[in-house]
Amino acid sequence: MIPEDVIAEINQKLETAFAQLDDWFAAPEAIRRYHPADGGWTIDEILEHVALTNHYLLILIEKGAAKALKNAHGLDLATELDARQSARVRLDEISQPGAFKWMRPDHMAPHGLKSGPEVAATLRQQLHQCQAVLSRLPNGEGVLCRTTMTVNELGKMDVYDFVYFLGKHAERHLAQIAGVATEYQAQSR
């Protein structure tokens, strides 16, 4: 059995990251729309990017969860759990801006097509979707499907690691948002 604390840890990281993302929607518009000097994204654009990326990650996560539950009928869960090797150390690097090189696909770039409240609602729905996936895989079934992740050359990851990745990606962009906010504060003095 996958330790309950692993699922609880993933859920806690998700709740913390998504709550912090949600807090930024209450920030003054001037901060959220500030363009950094390096030409990077505004906070609103970063939030939209996180929601877009989550959309595509959740497609893979949902497919993986469905396949894992189907595989539970033909694979030995105990054997698969014993053989599980999480890429946790390399997954933790995902939250550190500049820790590795990777170019995001164009379809994950923000285009300003949704309002702040729409992006906020999407992020809240995505958190609930992640939590629903974890609740459907309470006994370790998530190890029964592995999908390739090219970011940071992570390779094959199980469903739990994919959900953890989604949370770490949010943390990465929370650090980026903090940098934009710090620059804004310095510029407005």
Side-chain angles (χ1 to χ4, degrees):
M1 218 189 295
I2 195 159
E4 290 176 11
D5 60 331
V6 170
I7 293 173
E9 175 196 9
I10 294 169
N11 189 53
Q12 182 58 49
K13 286 193 177 296
L14 289 170
E15 287 180 351
T16 299
F18 276 77
Q20 291 173 355
L21 290 170
D22 196 56
D23 288 346
W24 281 104
F25 290 98
E29 187 176 325
I31 294 172
R32 290 192 338 269
R33 294 193 177 189
Y34 171 76
H35 284 275
D38 68 2
W41 290 335
T42 67
I43 291 172
D44 281 345
E45 289 170 329
I46 296 166
L47 293 166
E48 182 185 354
H49 162 73
V50 173
L52 283 168
T53 301
N54 289 352
H55 169 78
Y56 292 104
L57 288 173
L58 279 161
I59 290 170
L60 296 174
I61 289 167
E62 289 286 1
K63 285 181 180 180
K67 188 171 181 181
L69 288 170
K70 183 178 176 184
N71 288 344
H73 302 292
L75 296 174
D76 181 8
L77 181 57
T79 300
E80 296 297 323
L81 284 167
D82 286 342
R84 180 180 194 251
Q85 293 184 354
S86 175
R88 186 59 66 94
V89 172
R90 293 196 25 245
L91 279 166
D92 286 339
E93 291 175 355
I94 299 305
S95 65
Q96 303 163 17
F100 60 93
K101 296 261 185 225
W102 192 74
M103 190 60 165
R104 55 125 186 90
D106 288 339
H107 63 275
M108 293 182 191
H111 298 291
L113 300 177
K114 288 187 174 185
S115 69
E118 289 172 314
V119 174
T122 298
L123 287 168
R124 284 191 287 280
Q125 179 274 326
Q126 290 170 337
L127 169 61
H128 296 305
Q129 190 175 354
C130 287
Q131 292 171 321
V133 167
L134 292 174
S135 70
R136 288 196 312 266
L137 307 169
N139 302 311
E141 299 92 343
V143 303
L144 299 176
C145 179
R146 295 169 49 87
T147 306
T148 301
M149 171 58 76
T150 57
V151 175
N152 202 21
E153 300 176 0
L154 288 167
K156 294 273 188 182
M157 298 189 330
D158 65 33
V159 178
Y160 301 113
D161 280 347
F162 253 89
V163 176
Y164 187 79
F165 175 95
L166 187 146
K168 291 311 237 177
H169 177 258
E171 289 177 14
R172 174 187 194 87
H173 289 293
L174 282 164
Q176 182 184 8
I177 287 169
V180 172
T182 298
E183 183 179 320
Y184 171 83
Q185 296 294 341
Q187 293 292 328
S188 60
R189 287 185 189 162

